[in-house]
Amino acid sequence: MTTWPGDKSHDNAVTALPLLTINKIPIHLLEDWSTGIGGGLWSTGLAMAKYFERHAAAIFDNLNFLARLKHSQARTEMQLDQTRYECCGISAIELGAGNGFLSVCLLAVMAGLERVPLEKLVITDMADHLRLIRNTLDANSHVCDRMKIMESIISCKSSDGANEREFPSMNVHNLSDDNRIKPVEIIVTEHIWGSFENSEKEDLNQEKYDFIFGTDLAYRKYLYKPLIASLLRFSHAHTLCLIGVTMNDTHPLFFDLLTDAGFRYQRLAGEKQSFCVS
């Protein structure tokens, strides 16, 4: 068990537990319920984490397929050389990340393989959760020792919106000497579902992602439309979404609205709580 003595940002009985292992990499859970509703790990979040653990190779294969598809489209449009498909990685975004645990699980999925088709990972939630997400990344910095991480700036804000501090991201780690492997850029930033008016986040709001994931997102009816608005804004024709919900707190209306918005969804075989949306 990892604790954080002497760090005032962790005074609320926060501990990092090696909750599971993906690709032989231990993943630590950092909880701080004083942060808010996303400060811990809910049942569906744990279910998706276990799904990543059990099906790491299959998840990688699917993401690698997206990378190949993306390269094929780019090659058609730009006449790229076939030998450069490794350079055409994918982008991913987590909505409602809470403590950022699932994003670390995804990084562990990618870190355990020789080729990393992940080019960018954006981890989002409300501003008051960003510090906890950053701490979770710090607690799992060993995951990124297996990858190549770009230097970036993570801005954390207080509840009143004022800038408290800017945190430099993890250092650059070399996965291999193969220059064809692109670095992975990790960005932690605020995103309010359905809100795209913030000029400071214009790049985020205009970007399309290949993989969108998140859990415990549709637990209130008033969240359905803004959540689906974000799914629409951030997706393209081939985007794959992995959304974790429970039937106890997600009304059938959510799935009707998904269909009306043009999404197709299916329940993952053998999974009680996670759904795949495309």
Side-chain angles (χ1 to χ4, degrees):
M1 179 174 67
T2 303
T3 58
W4 306 89
D7 187 341
K8 293 183 179 180
S9 66
H10 298 86
D11 280 349
N12 297 299
V14 181
T15 59
L17 303 175
L19 186 63
L20 48 77
T21 300
I22 297 176
N23 285 323
K24 298 182 180 181
I25 304 171
I27 310 298
H28 297 276
L29 170 64
L30 201 67
E31 291 187 311
D32 185 355
W33 287 104
S34 69
T35 300
I37 193 171
L41 187 64
W42 293 86
S43 60
T44 310
L46 179 59
M48 186 175 289
K50 292 290 187 180
Y51 181 81
F52 282 1
E53 182 182 38
R54 292 193 302 268
H55 304 289
I59 293 169
F60 176 83
D61 286 344
N62 278 283
L63 297 184
N64 197 38
F65 172 78
L66 289 177
R68 288 174 177 269
L69 178 63
K70 190 174 183 179
H71 168 75
S72 178
Q73 293 173 328
R75 185 161 59 94
T76 299
E77 295 174 2
M78 303 175 62
Q79 299 300 309
L80 294 179
D81 181 26
Q82 175 67 29
T83 61
R84 295 180 56 203
Y85 97 86
E86 293 92 345
C87 294
C88 206
I90 68 166
S91 59
I93 184 170
E94 182 179 4
L95 299 178
N99 54 23
F101 181 73
L102 285 178
S103 282
V104 173
C105 290
L106 178 65
L107 288 172
V109 169
M110 312 313 293
L113 296 133
E114 184 178 354
R115 289 290 183 267
V116 181
L118 185 63
E119 212 169 69
K120 175 185 287 188
L121 173 61
V122 180
I123 312 171
T124 69
D125 208 311
M126 305 290 285
D128 53 4
H129 285 68
L130 301 187
R131 181 184 294 276
L132 180 57
I133 294 172
R134 182 64 178 88
N135 291 339
T136 297
L137 291 173
D138 285 342
N140 290 280
S141 60
H142 60 283
V143 177
C144 299
D145 289 342
R146 303 283 296 277
M147 305 182 73
K148 192 175 185 181
I149 307 298
M150 285 186 65
E151 190 78 10
S152 62
I153 295 296
I154 299 169
S155 179
C156 290
K157 296 183 178 181
S158 61
S159 57
D160 61 4
N163 283 319
E164 285 186 344
R165 182 181 173 191
E166 287 189 334
F167 298 87
S169 74
M170 286 167 271
N171 294 327
V172 173
H173 304 280
N174 289 321
L175 178 67
S176 78
D177 294 329
D178 190 341
N179 292 326
R180 293 177 299 175
I181 300 176
K182 281 195 172 183
V184 179
E185 183 179 9
I186 299 177
I187 299 173
V188 176
T189 188
E190 180 185 24
H191 172 61
I192 300 173
W193 301 340
S195 177
F196 311 103
E197 303 303 322
N198 192 331
S199 59
E200 295 180 359
K201 298 182 176 63
E202 185 174 350
D203 290 343
L204 168 73
N205 293 336
Q206 297 301 321
E207 189 158 352
K208 302 293 185 181
Y209 297 88
D210 305 298
F211 182 53
I212 303 174
F213 64 108
T215 65
D216 298 291
L217 305 180
Y219 56 90
R220 294 287 187 272
K221 287 185 180 179
Y222 69 85
L223 296 173
Y224 295 174
K225 289 185 177 179
L227 171 59
I228 292 173
S230 288
L231 290 174
L232 282 170
R233 174 61 71 99
F234 294 142
S235 63
H236 54 71
H238 299 289
T239 296
L240 178 65
C241 304
L242 189 62
I243 306 297
V245 300
T246 66
M247 300 312 297
N248 293 331
D249 58 21
T250 304
H251 193 274
L253 174 63
F254 174 66
F255 302 100
D256 293 338
L257 292 174
L258 276 176
T259 301
D260 292 343
F263 289 101
R264 294 179 292 112
Y265 67 88
Q266 67 183 58
R267 185 170 179 168
L268 295 179
E271 302 300 319
K272 295 181 179 180
Q273 295 170 305
S274 295
F275 288 80
C276 180
V277 183
S278 60

